[in-house]
Amino acid sequence: MSGDNDSGAELAGFDELMPGPTGRPLRDFPEPKKLSSHGPARIIALCNQKGGVGKTTTTISLGAALADYGRKVLVIDFDPQGALSAGLGMQSHDVPTVYDLLLGRETDPRKAVQATATKNLHLIPANIDLSAAEVHLVNEVAREHILARVLKPIVDDYDVILIDCQPSLGLLTVNALTAAHGVLIPLECEYFALRGVALLVETIDKVRDRLNPAVQLDGILATMYDARTLHSREVLERVVEVFGEKVLETVIGRTVKFPDASVAGAPITSFAPDHPAAAAYRQLARELIARGQVA
């Protein structure tokens, strides 16, 4: 009889964990412990060759959330559109940029680093000049490793470095994957966004085989999720079916607050700290720390 009671207690405890959007029990990840020291950084590339899936928003908001938890964070704008720099309200013209570092016009990466309005969050900016980088680098020796060499002097200064990649699988993205320890794929909960993920995973596998054996897929982050639509729910269900535990439990909902925050040049965590979107990115930061993908 006592065995039946124990079983019932276990089931009751399990029932209290309501299923989240991914179909798994919805957990609240613990508040991370403070770090006694900083560095070396784990480098994470945020990639997806489809545009408009939330890469830049995630880089800004995740970076700010990690910084709020006491992590020293560097975000790198690796997209010629310069959306990351603009989204943080930072200067990207008439200052040293990642383009200058790649071409060797500036040899000290610390001179390109800018402190943002968020404590512990720093930026290396980019602008339209970066669009010429692939042409200039194509004849360079070990051209896929240039970003890794650029970052080497400052890796010990940070706990995490986030690279906001352009929507392409060209030489710049390959550089980011070659420099990275992990890859985070923001994936819009929309059918056409789902189609390209297999190609991106294949590219990551090729980079691991040929250029960077250490790189791994940290996770797939569902973005722009709308639980009211059957389409969103079906796409997320399909992603979990294919990628299983690689799909992060945190899901980012669709909201107009993100473009509002971008216009204000501030992370969602400071622009609207009490909004569910800010809470979601704080949960994402806690989940990555709990999974051991960030210190």
Side-chain angles (χ1 to χ4, degrees):
M1 181 71 80
S2 63
D4 291 342
N5 288 340
D6 290 343
S7 174
E10 287 174 9
L11 287 172
F14 182 79
D15 287 344
E16 288 171 9
L17 291 172
M18 297 297 291
T22 64
R24 290 168 287 184
L26 192 60
R27 293 187 290 167
D28 188 19
F29 295 95
E31 190 90 2
K33 294 178 181 178
K34 291 186 177 180
L35 297 177
S36 57
S37 61
H38 298 283
R42 190 162 188 276
I43 302 173
I44 301 174
L46 286 91
C47 291
N48 193 323
Q49 72 270 32
K50 185 179 185 302
V53 298
K55 288 189 300 295
T56 301
T57 295
T58 295
T59 305
I60 293 171
S61 304
L62 173 59
L66 288 168
D68 288 342
Y69 285 128
R71 275 59 187 169
K72 293 191 71 174
V73 183
L74 174 66
V75 292
I76 298 175
D77 195 342
F78 218 46
D79 185 342
Q81 296 178 65
L84 179 65
S85 307
L88 283 167
M90 303 302 291
Q91 176 69 287
S92 62
H93 294 277
D94 301 320
V95 294
T97 66
V98 71
Y99 177 69
D100 299 310
L101 296 173
L102 291 174
L103 267 64
R105 294 177 177 176
E106 177 55 68
T107 56
D108 182 358
R110 290 182 181 89
K111 291 184 178 177
V113 171
Q114 299 181 22
T116 73
T118 301
K119 183 182 177 182
N120 293 324
L121 180 63
H122 293 171
L123 164 77
I124 293 181
N127 57 39
I128 193 63
D129 292 346
L130 187 59
S131 59
E134 295 200 7
V135 175
H136 288 293
L137 298 179
V138 72
N139 293 320
E140 291 287 327
V141 175
R143 58 186 178 270
E144 298 90 355
H145 295 271
I146 293 174
L147 180 62
R149 293 201 300 272
V150 163
L151 296 180
K152 192 173 181 180
I154 54 174
V155 164
D156 289 338
D157 297 348
Y158 297 95
D159 299 309
V160 59
I161 296 175
L162 303 176
I163 306 173
D164 181 28
C165 298
Q166 65 175 342
S168 156
L169 293 181
L171 183 55
L172 289 179
T173 298
V174 171
N175 256 269
L177 295 175
T178 304
H181 301 105
V183 183
L184 188 60
I185 303 177
L187 177 67
E188 181 186 6
C189 290
E190 195 269 336
Y191 173 69
F192 289 108
L194 178 59
R195 292 179 64 191
V197 175
L199 179 59
L200 177 53
V201 171
E202 184 181 314
T203 302
I204 295 168
D205 289 341
K206 286 180 180 177
V207 169
R208 184 188 302 114
D209 289 342
R210 303 173 189 178
L211 296 165
N212 179 12
V215 71
Q216 63 184 45
L217 176 58
D218 281 353
I220 295 173
L221 174 68
T223 63
M224 304 183 191
Y225 178 73
D226 187 345
R228 298 170 300 179
T229 69
L230 178 62
H231 185 71
S232 262
R233 299 197 301 271
E234 286 181 342
V235 169
L236 184 52
E237 184 180 321
R238 176 63 178 154
V239 173
V240 174
E241 189 180 297
V242 173
F243 294 101
E245 292 300 314
K246 286 295 184 184
V247 181
L248 298 173
E249 293 180 36
T250 304
V251 172
I252 308 299
R254 187 183 294 275
T255 172
V256 296
K257 282 293 182 185
F258 288 130
D260 289 348
S262 296
V263 170
I268 191 74
T269 50
S270 57
F271 177 76
D274 298 325
H275 194 274
Y281 273 109
R282 285 193 288 267
Q283 162 142 323
L284 174 61
R286 295 196 303 271
E287 179 173 0
L288 292 177
I289 291 170
R291 289 166 70 114
Q293 288 157 349
V294 176

